[in-house]
Coordinates of all heavy atoms in Angstrom, one line a residue:
P1443 N -3.9 -32.5 6.2 CA -4.6 -33.5 5.3 C -5.8 -34.1 6.0 O -5.7 -34.5 7.2 CB -3.5 -34.5 5.0 CG -2.2 -33.8 5.2 CD -2.4 -32.9 6.3
T1444 N -6.9 -34.2 5.3 CA -8.1 -34.7 5.9 C -8.0 -36.1 6.5 O -8.6 -36.3 7.6 CB -9.2 -34.7 4.8 OG1 -9.4 -33.4 4.3 CG2 -10.5 -35.2 5.4
L1445 N -7.2 -37.0 6.0 CA -7.0 -38.3 6.5 C -6.3 -38.2 7.9 O -6.3 -39.2 8.6 CB -6.3 -39.2 5.6 CG -7.2 -39.6 4.3 CD1 -6.4 -40.5 3.4 CD2 -8.5 -40.2 4.7
E1446 N -5.6 -37.1 8.1 CA -4.9 -36.9 9.4 C -5.6 -36.0 10.4 O -5.2 -35.8 11.5 CB -3.5 -36.3 9.1 CG -2.6 -37.3 8.3 CD -1.3 -36.6 7.9 OE1 -0.9 -35.6 8.5 OE2 -0.7 -37.1 6.9
L1447 N -6.8 -35.5 9.9 CA -7.6 -34.6 10.8 C -8.3 -35.4 11.9 O -9.1 -36.2 11.6 CB -8.6 -33.8 9.9 CG -9.5 -32.9 10.6 CD1 -8.7 -31.7 11.2 CD2 -10.5 -32.3 9.6
T1448 N -8.0 -35.1 13.1 CA -8.6 -35.9 14.2 C -9.9 -35.3 14.5 O -10.3 -34.1 14.2 CB -7.7 -35.8 15.5 OG1 -7.7 -34.4 15.9 CG2 -6.3 -36.3 15.2
A1449 N -10.8 -36.1 15.2 CA -12.1 -35.6 15.6 C -12.0 -34.5 16.6 O -12.8 -33.6 16.6 CB -12.9 -36.8 16.2
K1450 N -10.9 -34.5 17.4 CA -10.7 -33.5 18.4 C -10.4 -32.1 17.7 O -10.9 -31.1 18.1 CB -9.6 -33.9 19.3 CG -9.3 -32.8 20.4 CD -8.2 -33.3 21.4 CE -8.0 -32.3 22.5 NZ -6.9 -32.8 23.4
A1451 N -9.5 -32.2 16.7 CA -9.2 -31.0 16.0 C -10.4 -30.4 15.2 O -10.6 -29.2 15.1 CB -8.0 -31.3 15.0
W1452 N -11.1 -31.3 14.5 CA -12.3 -31.0 13.8 C -13.3 -30.2 14.8 O -13.8 -29.2 14.4 CB -13.0 -32.2 13.2 CG -14.3 -32.0 12.7 CD1 -15.5 -32.4 13.3 CD2 -14.7 -31.5 11.4 NE1 -16.6 -32.0 12.5 CE2 -16.1 -31.5 11.3 CE3 -14.0 -31.0 10.3 CZ2 -16.8 -31.1 10.2 CZ3 -14.7 -30.6 9.2 CH2 -16.1 -30.6 9.2
Q1453 N -13.5 -30.8 16.0 CA -14.4 -30.2 16.9 C -13.9 -28.8 17.4 O -14.7 -27.9 17.6 CB -14.6 -31.1 18.1 CG -15.7 -30.7 19.1 CD -17.1 -30.6 18.4 OE1 -17.5 -31.6 17.8 NE2 -17.7 -29.5 18.4
K1454 N -12.6 -28.7 17.6 CA -12.1 -27.4 18.0 C -12.3 -26.3 16.9 O -12.7 -25.2 17.3 CB -10.6 -27.5 18.2 CG -9.9 -26.2 18.8 CD -8.5 -26.4 19.1 CE -7.9 -25.1 19.6 NZ -6.4 -25.3 20.0
A1455 N -12.2 -26.7 15.7 CA -12.4 -25.7 14.6 C -13.9 -25.3 14.6 O -14.2 -24.1 14.5 CB -12.1 -26.3 13.2
L1456 N -14.8 -26.3 14.8 CA -16.2 -26.0 14.9 C -16.5 -25.1 16.1 O -17.3 -24.1 16.0 CB -17.0 -27.3 15.0 CG -17.1 -28.2 13.8 CD1 -17.9 -29.5 14.2 CD2 -17.9 -27.5 12.6
D1457 N -15.9 -25.4 17.2 CA -16.2 -24.7 18.4 C -15.8 -23.2 18.3 O -16.5 -22.3 18.7 CB -15.5 -25.3 19.6 CG -16.1 -26.6 20.0 OD1 -17.2 -27.0 19.6 OD2 -15.4 -27.4 20.7
V1458 N -14.6 -23.0 17.8 CA -14.1 -21.6 17.7 C -14.6 -20.8 16.5 O -15.2 -19.7 16.7 CB -12.5 -21.6 17.7 CG1 -12.0 -20.2 17.5 CG2 -11.9 -22.3 18.9
N1459 N -14.5 -21.4 15.3 CA -14.8 -20.7 14.1 C -16.3 -20.5 13.9 O -16.7 -19.5 13.2 CB -14.2 -21.4 12.9 CG -12.7 -21.3 12.9 OD1 -12.0 -20.7 13.8 ND2 -12.0 -22.0 11.9
L1460 N -17.1 -21.4 14.3 CA -18.5 -21.4 14.0 C -19.3 -21.1 15.3 O -20.1 -20.2 15.3 CB -18.9 -22.7 13.3 CG -20.2 -22.7 12.5 CD1 -20.2 -21.6 11.5 CD2 -20.4 -24.1 11.8
T1461 N -19.2 -22.0 16.3 CA -20.0 -21.8 17.5 C -19.6 -20.5 18.2 O -20.5 -19.8 18.8 CB -19.8 -23.0 18.5 OG1 -20.1 -24.2 17.8 CG2 -20.6 -22.9 19.7
G1462 N -18.4 -20.1 18.1 CA -18.0 -18.8 18.7 C -18.7 -17.6 18.1 O -19.1 -16.7 18.8
V1463 N -18.9 -17.7 16.8 CA -19.6 -16.6 16.1 C -21.1 -16.6 16.5 O -21.7 -15.6 16.8 CB -19.5 -16.8 14.6 CG1 -20.3 -15.7 13.9 CG2 -18.0 -16.6 14.1
F1464 N -21.6 -17.8 16.7 CA -23.0 -18.0 17.2 C -23.2 -17.4 18.6 O -24.1 -16.6 18.8 CB -23.4 -19.4 17.2 CG -24.6 -19.7 18.0 CD1 -25.9 -19.3 17.6 CD2 -24.5 -20.4 19.2 CE1 -27.0 -19.6 18.3 CE2 -25.6 -20.7 19.9 CZ -26.9 -20.2 19.5
H1465 N -22.3 -17.8 19.5 CA -22.4 -17.2 20.9 C -22.3 -15.7 20.9 O -23.2 -15.1 21.6 CB -21.2 -17.8 21.7 CG -21.3 -19.2 22.1 ND1 -22.5 -19.8 22.4 CD2 -20.3 -20.2 22.3 CE1 -22.3 -21.1 22.7 NE2 -21.0 -21.3 22.7
C1466 N -21.4 -15.1 20.2 CA -21.2 -13.7 20.3 C -22.3 -13.0 19.6 O -22.8 -11.9 20.0 CB -19.8 -13.3 19.7 SG -18.4 -13.9 20.7
S1467 N -22.7 -13.5 18.4 CA -23.8 -12.9 17.7 C -25.1 -12.9 18.5 O -25.8 -11.9 18.6 CB -24.1 -13.6 16.4 OG -22.9 -13.4 15.5
Q1468 N -25.4 -14.0 19.1 CA -26.6 -14.1 19.9 C -26.6 -13.1 21.1 O -27.6 -12.4 21.4 CB -26.8 -15.5 20.4 CG -28.1 -15.8 21.1 CD -28.2 -17.3 21.5 OE1 -27.5 -17.7 22.4 NE2 -29.1 -18.0 20.9
A1469 N -25.5 -13.1 21.8 CA -25.3 -12.2 23.0 C -25.4 -10.7 22.6 O -26.0 -9.9 23.2 CB -24.0 -12.5 23.7
A1470 N -24.8 -10.4 21.4 CA -24.8 -9.0 21.0 C -26.2 -8.7 20.5 O -26.7 -7.6 20.9 CB -23.9 -8.9 19.8
A1471 N -26.9 -9.5 19.8 CA -28.2 -9.2 19.3 C -29.3 -9.0 20.4 O -30.1 -8.1 20.2 CB -28.7 -10.3 18.3
R1472 N -29.1 -9.7 21.4 CA -30.1 -9.5 22.6 C -30.0 -8.1 23.0 O -31.0 -7.5 23.4 CB -29.8 -10.5 23.7 CG -30.2 -11.9 23.4 CD -30.0 -12.9 24.5 NE -30.5 -14.2 24.3 CZ -29.9 -15.3 24.4 NH1 -28.6 -15.3 24.8 NH2 -30.5 -16.5 24.1
R1473 N -28.8 -7.5 23.1 CA -28.7 -6.2 23.5 C -29.0 -5.2 22.4 O -29.6 -4.1 22.7 CB -27.2 -6.0 24.0 CG -26.9 -6.7 25.3 CD -25.4 -7.0 25.5 NE -25.1 -7.5 26.8 CZ -25.3 -8.8 27.1 NH1 -25.6 -9.7 26.2 NH2 -25.0 -9.2 28.3
M1474 N -28.7 -5.5 21.2 CA -29.0 -4.6 20.1 C -30.5 -4.5 19.9 O -31.0 -3.4 19.5 CB -28.3 -5.1 18.8 CG -26.8 -5.0 18.9 SD -26.0 -5.8 17.5 CE -24.2 -5.5 17.8
I1475 N -31.2 -5.6 20.0 CA -32.7 -5.5 19.9 C -33.3 -4.6 20.9 O -34.2 -3.8 20.6 CB -33.2 -6.9 20.0 CG1 -32.9 -7.8 18.7 CG2 -34.8 -6.9 20.1 CD1 -33.2 -9.2 18.8
A1476 N -32.7 -4.6 22.1 CA -33.2 -3.7 23.1 C -33.0 -2.3 22.8 O -33.8 -1.4 23.1 CB -32.6 -4.1 24.5
N1477 N -31.9 -2.0 22.1 CA -31.5 -0.7 21.7 C -32.2 -0.2 20.4 O -32.2 0.9 20.1 CB -30.0 -0.5 21.5 CG -29.2 -0.8 22.7 OD1 -29.7 -0.6 23.8 ND2 -27.9 -1.2 22.6
G1478 N -32.7 -1.2 19.6 CA -33.3 -0.9 18.4 C -32.4 -0.8 17.2 O -32.9 -0.5 16.0
S1479 N -31.1 -1.1 17.4 CA -30.2 -1.1 16.2 C -28.9 -1.7 16.6 O -28.6 -1.9 17.8 CB -29.9 0.4 15.8 OG -29.2 1.1 16.8
G1480 N -28.1 -2.1 15.6 CA -26.8 -2.6 15.9 C -26.2 -3.2 14.6 O -26.9 -3.4 13.6
V1481 N -24.9 -3.5 14.6 CA -24.2 -4.0 13.5 C -23.3 -5.2 13.9 O -22.6 -5.1 14.9 CB -23.3 -3.0 12.8 CG1 -22.5 -3.6 11.6 CG2 -24.2 -1.8 12.3
I1482 N -23.4 -6.3 13.2 CA -22.5 -7.4 13.4 C -21.7 -7.6 12.1 O -22.2 -7.6 11.0 CB -23.3 -8.7 13.7 CG1 -24.0 -8.5 15.0 CG2 -22.3 -9.9 13.8 CD1 -25.0 -9.6 15.4
V1483 N -20.4 -7.7 12.3 CA -19.5 -8.0 11.1 C -18.7 -9.3 11.5 O -18.0 -9.3 12.5 CB -18.5 -6.8 10.8 CG1 -17.6 -7.2 9.7 CG2 -19.2 -5.6 10.5
N1484 N -18.9 -10.3 10.7 CA -18.2 -11.6 10.9 C -17.0 -11.7 9.9 O -17.0 -11.2 8.8 CB -19.2 -12.7 10.6 CG -20.4 -12.7 11.5 OD1 -20.2 -12.4 12.7 ND2 -21.5 -13.1 11.0
L1485 N -16.0 -12.3 10.4 CA -14.8 -12.6 9.6 C -14.9 -14.0 9.0 O -14.8 -15.0 9.7 CB -13.5 -12.5 10.4 CG -12.8 -11.1 10.4 CD1 -12.2 -10.9 9.0 CD2 -13.8 -10.0 10.7
A1486 N -15.3 -14.0 7.7 CA -15.3 -15.3 7.0 C -13.9 -15.5 6.4 O -12.9 -15.1 7.0 CB -16.4 -15.3 6.0
S1487 N -13.8 -15.9 5.2 CA -12.5 -16.1 4.5 C -12.8 -16.3 3.0 O -13.9 -16.9 2.7 CB -11.7 -17.2 5.1 OG -10.6 -17.6 4.3
M1488 N -11.8 -16.0 2.2 CA -12.0 -16.5 0.8 C -12.1 -18.0 0.7 O -12.7 -18.5 -0.2 CB -10.8 -16.0 -0.1 CG -9.5 -16.6 0.2 SD -8.3 -16.0 -1.0 CE -6.9 -17.0 -0.6
Y1489 N -11.5 -18.7 1.7 CA -11.6 -20.2 1.7 C -13.0 -20.6 2.4 O -13.1 -21.8 2.6 CB -10.4 -20.8 2.5 CG -9.2 -20.8 1.6 CD1 -7.9 -20.6 2.1 CD2 -9.3 -21.0 0.2 CE1 -6.8 -20.6 1.4 CE2 -8.1 -21.0 -0.6 CZ -6.9 -20.8 0.0 OH -5.8 -20.8 -0.8
G1490 N -13.9 -19.7 2.6 CA -15.3 -20.0 2.8 C -16.1 -19.9 1.6 O -17.3 -20.2 1.6
V1491 N -15.5 -19.3 0.5 CA -16.1 -19.1 -0.7 C -15.6 -20.0 -1.8 O -16.4 -20.6 -2.6 CB -15.9 -17.6 -1.2 CG1 -16.6 -17.3 -2.5 CG2 -16.4 -16.7 -0.1
V1492 N -14.3 -20.2 -1.8 CA -13.7 -21.2 -2.7 C -12.9 -22.2 -1.9 O -12.5 -21.9 -0.7 CB -12.7 -20.6 -3.7 CG1 -13.5 -19.6 -4.7 CG2 -11.6 -19.8 -3.0
A1493 N -12.7 -23.4 -2.4 CA -12.1 -24.5 -1.6 C -10.6 -24.5 -1.8 O -10.0 -24.0 -2.7 CB -12.7 -25.8 -2.0
A1494 N -10.0 -25.2 -0.8 CA -8.5 -25.5 -0.9 C -8.3 -26.8 -0.3 O -8.9 -27.2 0.7 CB -7.7 -24.4 -0.2
P1495 N -7.3 -27.6 -0.8 CA -7.0 -28.9 -0.2 C -6.3 -28.8 1.2 O -5.7 -27.7 1.5 CB -6.0 -29.5 -1.2 CG -5.3 -28.3 -1.8 CD -6.4 -27.3 -1.9
E1496 N -6.5 -29.8 2.0 CA -5.9 -29.9 3.3 C -6.3 -28.8 4.2 O -5.6 -28.4 5.2 CB -4.4 -29.9 3.2 CG -3.9 -31.1 2.4 CD -2.4 -31.3 2.4 OE1 -1.7 -30.4 2.9 OE2 -1.9 -32.3 1.8
R1497 N -7.5 -28.3 4.0 CA -8.1 -27.2 4.9 C -9.6 -27.5 5.1 O -10.4 -26.6 5.2 CB -7.9 -25.8 4.2 CG -6.5 -25.3 4.2 CD -6.4 -24.0 3.4 NE -5.1 -23.4 3.4 CZ -4.1 -23.8 2.6 NH1 -4.3 -24.7 1.7 NH2 -2.9 -23.1 2.7
L1498 N -10.0 -28.7 5.2 CA -11.4 -29.1 5.3 C -12.1 -28.4 6.4 O -13.1 -27.8 6.2 CB -11.5 -30.6 5.4 CG -13.0 -31.1 5.6 CD1 -13.9 -30.8 4.4 CD2 -13.0 -32.6 6.0
A1499 N -11.5 -28.5 7.6 CA -12.2 -27.9 8.8 C -12.3 -26.4 8.6 O -13.3 -25.7 9.0 CB -11.5 -28.2 10.0
Y1500 N -11.3 -25.7 8.1 CA -11.3 -24.3 7.9 C -12.3 -23.9 6.9 O -13.1 -23.0 7.1 CB -9.9 -23.8 7.6 CG -9.7 -22.3 7.6 CD1 -9.6 -21.6 8.8 CD2 -9.7 -21.6 6.4 CE1 -9.5 -20.2 8.8 CE2 -9.6 -20.2 6.4 CZ -9.5 -19.5 7.6 OH -9.4 -18.1 7.6
C1501 N -12.2 -24.5 5.7 CA -13.2 -24.2 4.6 C -14.6 -24.4 5.1 O -15.5 -23.6 4.8 CB -12.9 -25.0 3.4 SG -11.4 -24.6 2.5
A1502 N -14.9 -25.5 5.7 CA -16.2 -25.8 6.1 C -16.8 -24.8 7.2 O -17.9 -24.4 7.1 CB -16.3 -27.3 6.7
T1503 N -15.9 -24.5 8.1 CA -16.4 -23.6 9.2 C -16.6 -22.1 8.6 O -17.5 -21.4 9.0 CB -15.5 -23.6 10.4 OG1 -14.1 -23.3 10.0 CG2 -15.6 -24.9 11.1
K1504 N -15.7 -21.7 7.8 CA -15.8 -20.4 7.2 C -16.9 -20.3 6.2 O -17.6 -19.2 6.2 CB -14.4 -19.9 6.6 CG -13.3 -19.7 7.6 CD -13.7 -18.6 8.6 CE -12.6 -18.2 9.5 NZ -12.9 -17.1 10.4
S1505 N -17.2 -21.3 5.5 CA -18.4 -21.3 4.7 C -19.7 -21.2 5.6 O -20.7 -20.6 5.2 CB -18.5 -22.5 3.7 OG -18.6 -23.7 4.4
G1506 N -19.6 -21.9 6.7 CA -20.7 -21.8 7.7 C -20.9 -20.4 8.2 O -22.0 -19.9 8.4
V1507 N -19.8 -19.7 8.4 CA -19.9 -18.3 8.9 C -20.6 -17.5 7.8 O -21.4 -16.6 8.1 CB -18.5 -17.7 9.2 CG1 -18.5 -16.2 9.4 CG2 -17.9 -18.4 10.4

Side-chain angles (χ1 to χ4, degrees):
T1444 300
L1445 293 180
E1446 299 173 18
L1447 180 63
T1448 65
K1450 183 177 181 181
W1452 168 262
Q1453 189 61 54
K1454 184 177 181 181
L1456 289 174
D1457 290 344
V1458 176
N1459 292 357
L1460 201 53
T1461 303
V1463 175
F1464 164 70
H1465 286 325
C1466 292
S1467 296
Q1468 190 179 64
R1472 287 183 174 131
R1473 290 159 171 82
M1474 292 171 179
I1475 289 170
N1477 295 336
S1479 66
V1481 176
I1482 296 171
V1483 179
N1484 298 324
L1485 267 289
S1487 168
M1488 71 177 187
Y1489 283 144
V1491 179
V1492 296
E1496 300 187 354
R1497 291 175 174 82
L1498 174 64
Y1500 189 77
C1501 290
T1503 52
K1504 288 301 185 178
S1505 66
V1507 169

